[in-house]
Amino acid sequence: MGLLDGKVAFVTGAARGQGRNHAVRLAREGAAVVAVDVCGPVSEYNTYEAATSQDLDETVRLVEAEGGKIHAERADVRDGAALSAVVAKGVEQFGRLDVVVANAGICNWSRFWEMPDDQWETLIDVNLTGVWKTLKAATPAMIEAGNGGSIIVVSSVAGMKALPGQANYAASKFGLVGLTQAAAKELGEFRIRVNSIHPYGVDTPMGTDQGSLEMLQAHPHYLSSFGTILTDTPLARTDDISDTVMWLAGDLSRTVTASHIAVDMGSTKV
């Protein structure tokens, strides 16, 4: 038996990286998965390769290899109508919605006064407004099902401790803290819990982005802001983050809501 037998989970940014791993782990624990990813470039300022449709196909293959069921579509979290349509199809296919993992996001680098307007605006639209649209699309189905449930918002260390060179990213991830708390208070009467998680660097294409190295090479005095307490590994594994997602998704965390959980090797305390 799995921790999530019979449940249905909606995962954004599922084509690769953390999102893919969350989808696979949810399936391993018994959940059916509804998955979306933009599967293409989002911002010209990103310095890592974009996910592709082939990446999303591989997520489907991996979920099915676990014996799981999945409905996956290409969709942009900035498109609320597209998200609502995918959720409706998922509920039609699987009968309910219990878990949301709002994982989709981008990251890029610049000092704030040198940052072009569209670099700021696009990142905020994806990372903050896109999560709001994700929750907006998913919540009515969760309320209608009447089963309670869990919403997991993927923020960042940068949502607890702003880092130099990415004011746009920090603003978006701090914004998710406020959205998480407001949503938790509004959804408590429906027994829907809402929490955010805050990873540090994770071994994914975004987490190994060379743009961060370029920023630190240009401004080495910024390096002191990027330390951790646990120094034996420079990057977390995707499973390290998924462990927390699985805990929040299931009943083991049934008393936890409006919380902001650092999965960060102690980075926020340095």
Side-chain angles (χ1 to χ4, degrees), residues 51-112:
T52 65
S53 295
Q54 290 74 29
D55 290 325
L56 187 57
D57 290 343
E58 177 63 6
T59 297
V60 171
R61 187 191 71 79
L62 291 169
V63 166
E64 291 177 343
E66 295 286 342
K69 297 178 180 179
I70 182 169
H71 175 83
E73 290 193 35
R74 185 172 179 171
D76 191 327
V77 294
R78 294 172 292 180
D79 185 344
L83 294 177
S84 294
V86 173
V87 169
K89 289 178 185 177
V91 171
E92 180 180 6
Q93 183 171 346
F94 300 127
R96 57 193 284 172
L97 183 61
D98 306 277
V99 177
V100 176
V101 185
N103 167 78
I106 62 173
C107 182
N108 48 55
W109 299 79
S110 181
R111 296 190 294 185
F112 76 88

Short mmCIF file of all heavy atoms in Angstrom, two decimals, residues 51-112:
data_model
loop_
_atom_site.label_atom_id
_atom_site.label_comp_id
_atom_site.label_asym_id
_atom_site.label_seq_id
_atom_site.Cartn_x
_atom_site.Cartn_y
_atom_site.Cartn_z
N ALA A 51 12.75 22.81 -21.15
CA ALA A 51 12.19 21.48 -21.27
C ALA A 51 11.51 21.33 -22.63
O ALA A 51 11.13 22.32 -23.27
CB ALA A 51 11.20 21.21 -20.15
N THR A 52 11.33 20.08 -23.07
CA THR A 52 10.74 19.81 -24.37
C THR A 52 9.54 18.86 -24.23
O THR A 52 9.34 18.26 -23.16
CB THR A 52 11.76 19.14 -25.30
OG1 THR A 52 12.10 17.85 -24.76
CG2 THR A 52 13.03 19.98 -25.42
N SER A 53 8.81 18.71 -25.30
CA SER A 53 7.70 17.75 -25.31
C SER A 53 8.22 16.33 -25.09
O SER A 53 7.55 15.50 -24.46
CB SER A 53 6.95 17.83 -26.63
OG SER A 53 6.32 19.09 -26.77
N GLN A 54 9.42 16.06 -25.59
CA GLN A 54 10.01 14.74 -25.38
C GLN A 54 10.30 14.49 -23.90
O GLN A 54 10.16 13.36 -23.40
CB GLN A 54 11.30 14.60 -26.20
CG GLN A 54 11.09 14.52 -27.70
CD GLN A 54 10.70 15.85 -28.34
OE1 GLN A 54 11.06 16.92 -27.84
NE2 GLN A 54 9.93 15.79 -29.43
N ASP A 55 10.68 15.56 -23.18
CA ASP A 55 10.88 15.43 -21.73
C ASP A 55 9.57 15.04 -21.04
O ASP A 55 9.56 14.18 -20.15
CB ASP A 55 11.40 16.74 -21.14
CG ASP A 55 12.83 17.06 -21.55
OD1 ASP A 55 13.62 16.12 -21.70
OD2 ASP A 55 13.13 18.25 -21.74
N LEU A 56 8.47 15.67 -21.43
CA LEU A 56 7.19 15.35 -20.83
C LEU A 56 6.77 13.91 -21.18
O LEU A 56 6.21 13.20 -20.33
CB LEU A 56 6.12 16.34 -21.27
CG LEU A 56 4.76 16.23 -20.58
CD1 LEU A 56 4.89 16.37 -19.07
CD2 LEU A 56 3.79 17.28 -21.13
N ASP A 57 7.06 13.50 -22.40
CA ASP A 57 6.79 12.11 -22.79
C ASP A 57 7.55 11.14 -21.89
O ASP A 57 7.03 10.07 -21.53
CB ASP A 57 7.18 11.87 -24.25
CG ASP A 57 6.28 12.58 -25.24
OD1 ASP A 57 5.17 12.99 -24.85
OD2 ASP A 57 6.69 12.73 -26.41
N GLU A 58 8.78 11.49 -21.54
CA GLU A 58 9.58 10.62 -20.67
C GLU A 58 8.98 10.57 -19.26
O GLU A 58 9.01 9.51 -18.61
CB GLU A 58 11.02 11.13 -20.63
CG GLU A 58 11.95 10.36 -19.70
CD GLU A 58 12.16 8.90 -20.09
OE1 GLU A 58 11.68 8.47 -21.17
OE2 GLU A 58 12.81 8.17 -19.30
N THR A 59 8.45 11.69 -18.79
CA THR A 59 7.76 11.67 -17.49
C THR A 59 6.58 10.70 -17.53
O THR A 59 6.38 9.92 -16.60
CB THR A 59 7.27 13.09 -17.12
OG1 THR A 59 8.40 13.95 -16.98
CG2 THR A 59 6.48 13.07 -15.82
N VAL A 60 5.82 10.74 -18.61
CA VAL A 60 4.69 9.81 -18.76
C VAL A 60 5.19 8.37 -18.72
O VAL A 60 4.62 7.52 -18.01
CB VAL A 60 3.94 10.08 -20.08
CG1 VAL A 60 2.92 8.98 -20.36
CG2 VAL A 60 3.25 11.44 -20.03
N ARG A 61 6.27 8.09 -19.43
CA ARG A 61 6.81 6.74 -19.45
C ARG A 61 7.24 6.29 -18.06
O ARG A 61 6.96 5.15 -17.64
CB ARG A 61 8.01 6.66 -20.40
CG ARG A 61 8.54 5.24 -20.62
CD ARG A 61 9.87 5.24 -21.34
NE ARG A 61 10.95 5.73 -20.50
CZ ARG A 61 11.56 5.00 -19.56
NH1 ARG A 61 11.16 3.75 -19.32
NH2 ARG A 61 12.54 5.51 -18.84
N LEU A 62 7.90 7.16 -17.33
CA LEU A 62 8.39 6.82 -15.99
C LEU A 62 7.24 6.60 -15.01
O LEU A 62 7.30 5.69 -14.17
CB LEU A 62 9.33 7.91 -15.49
CG LEU A 62 10.68 8.00 -16.21
CD1 LEU A 62 11.40 9.28 -15.82
CD2 LEU A 62 11.55 6.78 -15.92
N VAL A 63 6.21 7.43 -15.09
CA VAL A 63 5.04 7.24 -14.22
C VAL A 63 4.37 5.91 -14.53
O VAL A 63 4.02 5.14 -13.62
CB VAL A 63 4.04 8.41 -14.38
CG1 VAL A 63 2.70 8.07 -13.74
CG2 VAL A 63 4.62 9.68 -13.75
N GLU A 64 4.19 5.62 -15.80
CA GLU A 64 3.55 4.36 -16.18
C GLU A 64 4.41 3.16 -15.81
O GLU A 64 3.89 2.08 -15.48
CB GLU A 64 3.23 4.38 -17.67
CG GLU A 64 2.12 5.39 -18.00
CD GLU A 64 1.81 5.49 -19.48
OE1 GLU A 64 2.65 5.04 -20.31
OE2 GLU A 64 0.73 6.01 -19.83
N ALA A 65 5.73 3.33 -15.82
CA ALA A 65 6.63 2.25 -15.40
C ALA A 65 6.46 1.92 -13.93
O ALA A 65 6.76 0.80 -13.49
CB ALA A 65 8.08 2.63 -15.70
N GLU A 66 5.96 2.88 -13.15
CA GLU A 66 5.67 2.65 -11.74
C GLU A 66 4.30 2.00 -11.55
O GLU A 66 3.87 1.77 -10.41
CB GLU A 66 5.70 3.97 -10.97
CG GLU A 66 7.06 4.64 -10.91
CD GLU A 66 8.03 3.95 -9.97
OE1 GLU A 66 7.59 3.15 -9.11
OE2 GLU A 66 9.25 4.20 -10.10
N GLY A 67 3.61 1.76 -12.65
CA GLY A 67 2.24 1.25 -12.56
C GLY A 67 1.20 2.33 -12.38
O GLY A 67 0.04 2.04 -12.09
N GLY A 68 1.62 3.58 -12.53
CA GLY A 68 0.72 4.70 -12.29
C GLY A 68 -0.06 5.12 -13.52
O GLY A 68 0.29 4.77 -14.65
N LYS A 69 -1.10 5.89 -13.28
CA LYS A 69 -1.92 6.47 -14.34
C LYS A 69 -1.60 7.96 -14.42
O LYS A 69 -1.43 8.63 -13.40
CB LYS A 69 -3.40 6.26 -14.05
CG LYS A 69 -3.81 4.79 -14.01
CD LYS A 69 -5.28 4.67 -13.66
CE LYS A 69 -5.70 3.20 -13.61
NZ LYS A 69 -7.15 3.06 -13.25
N ILE A 70 -1.54 8.47 -15.65
CA ILE A 70 -1.19 9.88 -15.82
C ILE A 70 -1.91 10.47 -17.01
O ILE A 70 -2.07 9.81 -18.05
CB ILE A 70 0.35 10.05 -15.97
CG1 ILE A 70 0.73 11.54 -16.09
CG2 ILE A 70 0.89 9.22 -17.13
CD1 ILE A 70 2.22 11.81 -15.99
N HIS A 71 -2.38 11.70 -16.84
CA HIS A 71 -2.88 12.52 -17.94
C HIS A 71 -1.95 13.72 -18.03
O HIS A 71 -1.87 14.52 -17.09
CB HIS A 71 -4.31 12.98 -17.69
CG HIS A 71 -4.81 13.93 -18.74
ND1 HIS A 71 -5.34 13.49 -19.93
CD2 HIS A 71 -4.84 15.29 -18.79
CE1 HIS A 71 -5.67 14.53 -20.67
NE2 HIS A 71 -5.38 15.64 -19.99
N ALA A 72 -1.21 13.85 -19.14
CA ALA A 72 -0.21 14.91 -19.28
C ALA A 72 -0.51 15.74 -20.51
O ALA A 72 -0.85 15.20 -21.58
CB ALA A 72 1.18 14.30 -19.38
N GLU A 73 -0.36 17.05 -20.37
CA GLU A 73 -0.57 17.96 -21.49
C GLU A 73 0.44 19.09 -21.43
O GLU A 73 0.95 19.44 -20.36
CB GLU A 73 -1.98 18.58 -21.45
CG GLU A 73 -3.11 17.63 -21.76
CD GLU A 73 -4.41 18.37 -22.01
OE1 GLU A 73 -4.37 19.48 -22.58
OE2 GLU A 73 -5.46 17.82 -21.62
N ARG A 74 0.67 19.64 -22.60
CA ARG A 74 1.50 20.84 -22.69
C ARG A 74 0.64 22.05 -22.35
O ARG A 74 -0.41 22.27 -22.96
CB ARG A 74 2.06 20.96 -24.11
CG ARG A 74 3.02 22.10 -24.31
CD ARG A 74 3.66 22.01 -25.69
NE ARG A 74 4.58 23.12 -25.91
CZ ARG A 74 5.40 23.19 -26.95
NH1 ARG A 74 5.40 22.22 -27.86
NH2 ARG A 74 6.21 24.23 -27.07
N ALA A 75 1.03 22.82 -21.34
CA ALA A 75 0.27 24.01 -20.94
C ALA A 75 1.20 24.97 -20.21
O ALA A 75 2.13 24.55 -19.52
CB ALA A 75 -0.91 23.63 -20.05
N ASP A 76 0.92 26.24 -20.36
CA ASP A 76 1.69 27.32 -19.75
C ASP A 76 0.94 27.79 -18.50
O ASP A 76 -0.27 28.08 -18.58
CB ASP A 76 1.82 28.47 -20.75
CG ASP A 76 2.81 29.55 -20.33
OD1 ASP A 76 2.94 29.80 -19.13
OD2 ASP A 76 3.44 30.14 -21.23
N VAL A 77 1.62 27.86 -17.37
CA VAL A 77 0.93 28.27 -16.13
C VAL A 77 0.46 29.72 -16.18
O VAL A 77 -0.33 30.13 -15.33
CB VAL A 77 1.82 28.04 -14.89
CG1 VAL A 77 2.07 26.56 -14.65
CG2 VAL A 77 3.13 28.82 -14.99
N ARG A 78 0.89 30.47 -17.17
CA ARG A 78 0.39 31.84 -17.33
C ARG A 78 -0.99 31.85 -17.99
O ARG A 78 -1.63 32.91 -18.07
CB ARG A 78 1.38 32.67 -18.14
CG ARG A 78 2.70 32.90 -17.44
CD ARG A 78 3.73 33.55 -18.34
NE ARG A 78 4.15 32.65 -19.42
CZ ARG A 78 5.04 32.95 -20.36
NH1 ARG A 78 5.60 34.15 -20.35
NH2 ARG A 78 5.36 32.06 -21.28
N ASP A 79 -1.45 30.71 -18.47
CA ASP A 79 -2.72 30.59 -19.18
C ASP A 79 -3.73 29.89 -18.27
O ASP A 79 -3.81 28.66 -18.22
CB ASP A 79 -2.50 29.79 -20.46
CG ASP A 79 -3.75 29.71 -21.35
OD1 ASP A 79 -4.85 29.99 -20.85
OD2 ASP A 79 -3.60 29.35 -22.53
N GLY A 80 -4.50 30.68 -17.54
CA GLY A 80 -5.44 30.12 -16.57
C GLY A 80 -6.49 29.24 -17.21
O GLY A 80 -6.89 28.21 -16.66
N ALA A 81 -6.97 29.62 -18.41
CA ALA A 81 -7.99 28.81 -19.08
C ALA A 81 -7.44 27.44 -19.44
O ALA A 81 -8.14 26.42 -19.31
CB ALA A 81 -8.47 29.54 -20.33
N ALA A 82 -6.19 27.38 -19.89
CA ALA A 82 -5.58 26.10 -20.24
C ALA A 82 -5.44 25.22 -18.99
O ALA A 82 -5.70 24.01 -19.04
CB ALA A 82 -4.22 26.32 -20.89
N LEU A 83 -5.04 25.81 -17.89
CA LEU A 83 -4.91 25.03 -16.65
C LEU A 83 -6.26 24.49 -16.20
O LEU A 83 -6.38 23.32 -15.81
CB LEU A 83 -4.31 25.90 -15.55
CG LEU A 83 -2.86 26.36 -15.74
CD1 LEU A 83 -2.45 27.27 -14.58
CD2 LEU A 83 -1.91 25.19 -15.85
N SER A 84 -7.29 25.32 -16.25
CA SER A 84 -8.63 24.87 -15.85
C SER A 84 -9.10 23.72 -16.74
O SER A 84 -9.73 22.76 -16.26
CB SER A 84 -9.61 26.03 -15.92
OG SER A 84 -9.30 27.03 -14.96
N ALA A 85 -8.78 23.79 -18.04
CA ALA A 85 -9.19 22.73 -18.96
C ALA A 85 -8.48 21.42 -18.64
O ALA A 85 -9.10 20.34 -18.67
CB ALA A 85 -8.91 23.15 -20.40
N VAL A 86 -7.20 21.50 -18.32
CA VAL A 86 -6.45 20.29 -17.98
C VAL A 86 -6.98 19.68 -16.69
O VAL A 86 -7.16 18.46 -16.58
CB VAL A 86 -4.95 20.59 -17.87
CG1 VAL A 86 -4.20 19.37 -17.34
CG2 VAL A 86 -4.37 20.99 -19.22
N VAL A 87 -7.23 20.52 -15.69
CA VAL A 87 -7.78 20.02 -14.42
C VAL A 87 -9.12 19.33 -14.67
O VAL A 87 -9.39 18.24 -14.14
CB VAL A 87 -7.93 21.15 -13.40
CG1 VAL A 87 -8.75 20.69 -12.20
CG2 VAL A 87 -6.55 21.63 -12.94
N ALA A 88 -9.98 19.94 -15.49
CA ALA A 88 -11.29 19.35 -15.78
C ALA A 88 -11.14 17.98 -16.43
O ALA A 88 -11.87 17.03 -16.10
CB ALA A 88 -12.10 20.29 -16.66
N LYS A 89 -10.20 17.86 -17.36
CA LYS A 89 -9.98 16.57 -18.02
C LYS A 89 -9.46 15.54 -17.03
O LYS A 89 -9.85 14.37 -17.07
CB LYS A 89 -8.99 16.74 -19.17
CG LYS A 89 -9.54 17.50 -20.36
CD LYS A 89 -8.48 17.67 -21.44
CE LYS A 89 -8.96 18.54 -22.58
NZ LYS A 89 -7.89 18.76 -23.59
N GLY A 90 -8.56 15.98 -16.14
CA GLY A 90 -8.03 15.07 -15.14
C GLY A 90 -9.10 14.56 -14.20
O GLY A 90 -9.15 13.36 -13.87
N VAL A 91 -9.97 15.46 -13.76
CA VAL A 91 -11.06 15.07 -12.86
C VAL A 91 -12.04 14.15 -13.58
O VAL A 91 -12.54 13.17 -13.02
CB VAL A 91 -11.77 16.32 -12.30
CG1 VAL A 91 -13.03 15.92 -11.54
CG2 VAL A 91 -10.82 17.10 -11.38
N GLU A 92 -12.30 14.44 -14.86
CA GLU A 92 -13.19 13.58 -15.63
C GLU A 92 -12.60 12.17 -15.75
O GLU A 92 -13.32 11.17 -15.66
CB GLU A 92 -13.40 14.17 -17.02
CG GLU A 92 -14.33 13.34 -17.90
CD GLU A 92 -14.52 13.96 -19.27
OE1 GLU A 92 -13.86 14.96 -19.58
OE2 GLU A 92 -15.34 13.41 -20.04
N GLN A 93 -11.29 12.10 -15.93
CA GLN A 93 -10.65 10.80 -16.12
C GLN A 93 -10.48 10.04 -14.82
O GLN A 93 -10.71 8.82 -14.76
CB GLN A 93 -9.28 10.99 -16.79
CG GLN A 93 -8.54 9.70 -17.10
CD GLN A 93 -7.30 9.94 -17.94
OE1 GLN A 93 -7.12 11.01 -18.52
NE2 GLN A 93 -6.44 8.95 -18.04
N PHE A 94 -10.09 10.74 -13.75
CA PHE A 94 -9.73 10.07 -12.51
C PHE A 94 -10.75 10.25 -11.38
O PHE A 94 -10.63 9.62 -10.33
CB PHE A 94 -8.35 10.54 -12.04
CG PHE A 94 -7.25 10.26 -13.03
CD1 PHE A 94 -6.42 11.29 -13.46
CD2 PHE A 94 -7.05 8.99 -13.54
CE1 PHE A 94 -5.40 11.05 -14.37
CE2 PHE A 94 -6.04 8.74 -14.45
CZ PHE A 94 -5.21 9.77 -14.88
N GLY A 95 -11.71 11.16 -11.55
CA GLY A 95 -12.82 11.24 -10.63
C GLY A 95 -12.71 12.20 -9.48
O GLY A 95 -13.70 12.46 -8.79
N ARG A 96 -11.54 12.81 -9.26
CA ARG A 96 -11.38 13.69 -8.10
C ARG A 96 -10.05 14.43 -8.22
O ARG A 96 -9.25 14.18 -9.13
CB ARG A 96 -11.39 12.86 -6.81
CG ARG A 96 -10.32 11.78 -6.78
CD ARG A 96 -10.54 10.79 -5.66
NE ARG A 96 -10.17 11.33 -4.36
CZ ARG A 96 -10.43 10.71 -3.22
NH1 ARG A 96 -11.07 9.55 -3.21
NH2 ARG A 96 -10.06 11.25 -2.07
N LEU A 97 -9.78 15.33 -7.28
CA LEU A 97 -8.48 15.98 -7.16
C LEU A 97 -8.19 16.20 -5.68
O LEU A 97 -9.02 16.77 -4.97
CB LEU A 97 -8.44 17.32 -7.91
CG LEU A 97 -7.09 18.05 -7.90
CD1 LEU A 97 -6.01 17.21 -8.56
CD2 LEU A 97 -7.19 19.41 -8.58
N ASP A 98 -7.02 15.72 -5.24
CA ASP A 98 -6.68 15.75 -3.82
C ASP A 98 -5.41 16.53 -3.50
O ASP A 98 -5.27 17.04 -2.39
CB ASP A 98 -6.47 14.31 -3.31
CG ASP A 98 -7.65 13.42 -3.59
OD1 ASP A 98 -8.61 13.45 -2.81
OD2 ASP A 98 -7.62 12.70 -4.61
N VAL A 99 -4.48 16.56 -4.43
CA VAL A 99 -3.15 17.12 -4.17
C VAL A 99 -2.76 18.03 -5.33
O VAL A 99 -2.99 17.69 -6.50
CB VAL A 99 -2.10 16.00 -4.02
CG1 VAL A 99 -0.70 16.59 -3.83
CG2 VAL A 99 -2.45 15.07 -2.88
N VAL A 100 -2.18 19.17 -5.02
CA VAL A 100 -1.60 20.05 -6.02
C VAL A 100 -0.15 20.31 -5.65
O VAL A 100 0.16 20.64 -4.50
CB VAL A 100 -2.36 21.40 -6.10
CG1 VAL A 100 -1.67 22.35 -7.08
CG2 VAL A 100 -3.81 21.19 -6.49
N VAL A 101 0.74 20.14 -6.63
CA VAL A 101 2.15 20.51 -6.45
C VAL A 101 2.44 21.60 -7.46
O VAL A 101 2.65 21.35 -8.65
CB VAL A 101 3.09 19.31 -6.65
CG1 VAL A 101 4.54 19.73 -6.34
CG2 VAL A 101 2.68 18.14 -5.77
N ALA A 102 2.43 22.85 -6.99
CA ALA A 102 2.66 24.02 -7.85
C ALA A 102 4.16 24.22 -7.97
O ALA A 102 4.78 24.97 -7.21
CB ALA A 102 1.97 25.25 -7.26
N ASN A 103 4.75 23.54 -8.93
CA ASN A 103 6.20 23.42 -9.03
C ASN A 103 6.81 24.28 -10.15
O ASN A 103 7.98 24.65 -10.07
CB ASN A 103 6.55 21.94 -9.27
CG ASN A 103 7.98 21.74 -9.70
OD1 ASN A 103 8.89 21.78 -8.90
ND2 ASN A 103 8.17 21.52 -11.00
N ALA A 104 6.03 24.61 -11.18
CA ALA A 104 6.60 25.28 -12.35
C ALA A 104 7.22 26.62 -11.97
O ALA A 104 6.65 27.40 -11.20
CB ALA A 104 5.52 25.48 -13.41
N GLY A 105 8.38 26.89 -12.54
CA GLY A 105 9.04 28.17 -12.29
C GLY A 105 10.30 28.29 -13.13
O GLY A 105 10.80 27.31 -13.69
N ILE A 106 10.80 29.50 -13.22
CA ILE A 106 12.04 29.78 -13.94
C ILE A 106 12.96 30.59 -13.04
O ILE A 106 12.55 31.12 -12.00
CB ILE A 106 11.78 30.53 -15.26
CG1 ILE A 106 11.14 31.91 -15.00
CG2 ILE A 106 10.91 29.69 -16.20
CD1 ILE A 106 11.02 32.78 -16.25
N CYS A 107 14.22 30.69 -13.46
CA CYS A 107 15.21 31.48 -12.71
C CYS A 107 16.17 32.12 -13.69
O CYS A 107 16.61 31.47 -14.66
CB CYS A 107 15.96 30.56 -11.74
SG CYS A 107 17.18 31.43 -10.70
N ASN A 108 16.49 33.38 -13.47
CA ASN A 108 17.54 34.04 -14.24
C ASN A 108 18.17 35.13 -13.40
O ASN A 108 17.70 35.42 -12.29
CB ASN A 108 17.03 34.53 -15.60
CG ASN A 108 15.72 35.30 -15.51
OD1 ASN A 108 15.61 36.28 -14.76
ND2 ASN A 108 14.71 34.84 -16.26
N TRP A 109 19.23 35.74 -13.92
CA TRP A 109 20.13 36.53 -13.09
C TRP A 109 20.38 37.91 -13.67
O TRP A 109 20.53 38.08 -14.87
CB TRP A 109 21.48 35.79 -12.94
CG TRP A 109 21.33 34.46 -12.28
CD1 TRP A 109 20.90 33.30 -12.87
CD2 TRP A 109 21.56 34.16 -10.91
NE1 TRP A 109 20.85 32.30 -11.94
CE2 TRP A 109 21.27 32.80 -10.73
CE3 TRP A 109 22.00 34.91 -9.82
CZ2 TRP A 109 21.38 32.16 -9.50
CZ3 TRP A 109 22.14 34.29 -8.60
CH2 TRP A 109 21.83 32.93 -8.44
N SER A 110 20.45 38.90 -12.80
CA SER A 110 20.86 40.26 -13.15
C SER A 110 20.78 41.10 -11.88
O SER A 110 19.97 40.82 -10.99
CB SER A 110 19.94 40.87 -14.21
OG SER A 110 20.37 42.18 -14.55
N ARG A 111 21.61 42.13 -11.79
CA ARG A 111 21.42 43.09 -10.71
C ARG A 111 20.17 43.91 -11.02
O ARG A 111 19.89 44.22 -12.17
CB ARG A 111 22.66 43.97 -10.57
CG ARG A 111 23.89 43.17 -10.15
CD ARG A 111 25.05 44.04 -9.78
NE ARG A 111 25.57 44.81 -10.92
CZ ARG A 111 26.65 45.58 -10.87
NH1 ARG A 111 27.33 45.69 -9.73
NH2 ARG A 111 27.06 46.23 -11.94
N PHE A 112 19.41 44.26 -9.96
CA PHE A 112 18.06 44.77 -10.19
C PHE A 112 18.03 46.04 -11.01
O PHE A 112 17.11 46.25 -11.81
CB PHE A 112 17.33 44.96 -8.85
CG PHE A 112 17.74 46.16 -8.05
CD1 PHE A 112 17.14 47.38 -8.25
CD2 PHE A 112 18.74 46.05 -7.08
CE1 PHE A 112 17.52 48.50 -7.50
CE2 PHE A 112 19.12 47.15 -6.33
CZ PHE A 112 18.52 48.38 -6.55
#
